[in-house]
Amino acid sequence: MSDLPLRPELVGRSAYGAPQIDVPIRLNTNENPYPPPPEMIADIAAAVAPDLNRYPDRDAHELRAALAGYLSAQTGIGLSSAQVWAANGSNEILQQILQAFGGPGRTALGFTPGYTMHELISRGTGTAFVPVPRNGLDLHADQIVAAVQEFRPDVLFLCSPNNPTGESLPLSAVEAAYDAVVATDRGIVVVDEAYGEFASVPSAVHLLHDRPRLLVTRTMSKAFAFAGARVGYVACAPSVVDALLLVRLPYHLSSLTQSAATVAVAYSDRLEEQVRQLRATRDAFVARVQELGWQCRPTDANFVLLGPFVDPAAAWQRLLAAGILVRDVGLDRWLRVTIGTDDQMAALAAELTHCTDLRETG
Ligand SMILES: Cc1ncc(COP(=O)(O)O)c(C=O)c1O
């Protein structure tokens, strides 16, 4: 690449790269370990539109109505399809948000460690990114407000539950962040709720009313067990959807995706049971590894930071050699572990007994 006339801000950068390694136990990308039920797959196959010679519905009306219905049922807040926009994964939603509200001469702000794509998509859209370190691994409302006042971002990213640390933000912190952004007379607030279904705090969707600069992004990749289909969405004011329409590619969401996702949303009832199961598996795993002398950070998501390791990269290799892929997110002492099935978590707990030489003590 070095001899190509790349944009200067991309020179020397690495592409997003969770390792894709074919191992028996994959606990590295926070997917739901349970495959969709066979009847859902059959319904998806039956729903695929015969008119693939035609472009899809550019505005994905049916899917947006389905997602609005799902989110309304989940949160108890009535949303119309005009308040929901969908794209190929919430990453594409984030990209459209940055294309519309960021860009050259504008700034996005996020707290680190956080979801690395907030920074990468900012850079990809020519938006300057200000990474503000969390306080240790914690984040409180006053720190968010102070950062907003100092940097006056055009796009403020909050992530709840936060990837990779796992904890949720209380709604009071989102409210305080919103008020601080509005007081700067510029900017929008994006609450990334990719793991919202697992959280024990209410969704920021509760705050949408009368907050036209608040955007809540969601995905079907995690609790919905639909990562392979690539569907994400945002709940926001209809005027924000109008702004996103200015930058989306025409026909960005294929007919195949739209019809498959509309069917999957109709199966959302089964989610509740799986989310309950994954939370129970998570809590049992945390209790088990604590008995074995390890620590876990408090988490409200389907993943957990596990440690403390003297050398997380060496521990990652050791687990990989045992056929278990977890995520080295570049933190001192911690590895991030996605919650899988009970059997997968038992296998990981058993393998950790061979890793005690890598545990930090004292
Ligand atoms: C916090 C967060 N936001 C967004 C995403 C993107 O998800 P997708 O593009 O699959 O919807 C992820 C995926 O890991 C995530 O962790």
Side-chain angles (χ1 to χ4, degrees):
M1 256 189 328
S2 59
D3 51 349
L4 291 175
L6 199 58
R7 276 165 42 199
E9 68 271 28
L10 299 179
V11 172
R13 299 285 179 181
S14 315
Y16 171 85
Q20 291 193 305
I21 305 175
D22 194 10
V23 290
I25 302 184
R26 276 168 34 193
L27 304 176
N28 71 327
T29 43
N30 298 343
E31 296 133 317
N32 183 327
Y34 300 107
E39 55 280 18
M40 180 175 125
I41 299 298
D43 284 352
I44 288 176
V48 169
D51 54 350
L52 286 177
N53 55 318
R54 298 290 177 194
Y55 282 116
D57 173 6
R58 241 185 349 239
D59 296 336
H61 288 103
E62 195 184 349
L63 174 59
R64 285 164 63 200
L67 289 167
Y70 163 71
L71 211 47
S72 302
Q74 230 229 341
T75 59
I77 303 292
L79 293 173
S80 71
S81 56
Q83 293 170 280
V84 173
W85 176 244
N88 294 282
S90 51
N91 281 333
E92 188 180 36
I93 292 282
L94 296 171
Q95 185 176 48
Q96 292 177 348
I97 291 170
L98 283 158
Q99 285 174 318
F101 297 102
R106 292 196 164 193
T107 302
L109 185 151
F111 297 90
T112 57
Y115 180 47
T116 49
M117 288 308 296
H118 293 161
E119 180 165 356
L120 290 190
I121 301 174
S122 295
R123 198 174 295 126
T125 56
T127 315
F129 185 83
V130 180
V132 177
R134 298 164 76 93
N135 185 4
L137 293 182
D138 297 328
L139 181 64
H140 298 293
D142 37 359
Q143 198 195 348
I144 302 172
V145 170
V148 169
Q149 288 168 347
E150 182 176 355
F151 296 104
R152 303 169 62 81
D154 298 287
V155 178
L156 172 68
F157 284 114
L158 302 173
C159 192
S160 180
N162 185 51
N163 177 10
T165 52
E167 83 296 337
S168 295
L169 275 178
L171 286 190
S172 56
V174 178
E175 273 181 284
Y178 187 87
D179 291 345
V181 165
V182 168
T184 64
D185 216 14
R186 60 191 295 159
I188 57 164
V189 178
V190 178
V191 185
D192 182 334
E193 292 190 356
Y195 304 94
E197 283 90 351
F198 297 101
S200 55
V201 305
S203 164
V205 163
H206 284 265
L207 301 176
L208 281 177
H209 181 67
D210 272 349
R211 288 188 180 83
R213 289 163 176 246
L214 180 62
L215 289 71
V216 184
T217 61
R218 291 261 175 150
T219 182
M220 294 182 73
S221 299
K222 309 298 178 183
F224 253 104
F226 214 52
R230 308 302 300 125
V231 183
Y233 53 105
V234 57
C236 54
S239 54
V240 173
V241 173
D242 290 342
L244 299 180
L245 290 174
L246 299 174
V247 296
R248 64 92 192 273
L249 291 175
Y251 315 113
H252 67 298
L253 206 52
S254 80
S255 320
L256 301 176
T257 306
Q258 291 188 39
S259 46
T262 305
V263 169
V265 175
Y267 277 83
S268 60
D269 280 359
R270 90 204 143 87
L271 279 191
E272 217 169 291
E273 181 46 38
Q274 282 190 354
V275 165
R276 218 184 350 258
Q277 171 65 54
L278 286 166
R279 280 203 193 132
T281 304
R282 174 192 72 196
D283 295 345
F285 172 75
V286 168
R288 176 72 190 126
V289 296
Q290 282 174 345
E291 269 166 33
L292 295 171
W294 299 91
Q295 294 171 29
C296 290
R297 295 271 312 171
T299 176
D300 212 16
N302 67 334
F303 57 83
V304 62
L305 286 182
L306 167 74
F309 295 100
V310 201
D311 180 352
W316 183 85
Q317 281 293 351
R318 176 93 56 95
L319 293 172
L320 182 62
I324 303 174
L325 181 60
V326 298
R327 188 73 168 269
D328 181 358
V329 283
L331 292 177
D332 278 352
R333 307 168 74 231
W334 304 101
L335 289 173
R336 195 193 69 193
V337 173
T338 302
I339 303 304
T341 63
D342 284 334
D343 286 352
Q344 291 174 329
M345 302 321 284
L348 172 57
E351 193 52 41
L352 285 171
T353 60
H354 305 306
C355 296
T356 45
D357 57 312
L358 294 173
R359 183 159 67 208
E360 189 181 273
T361 51

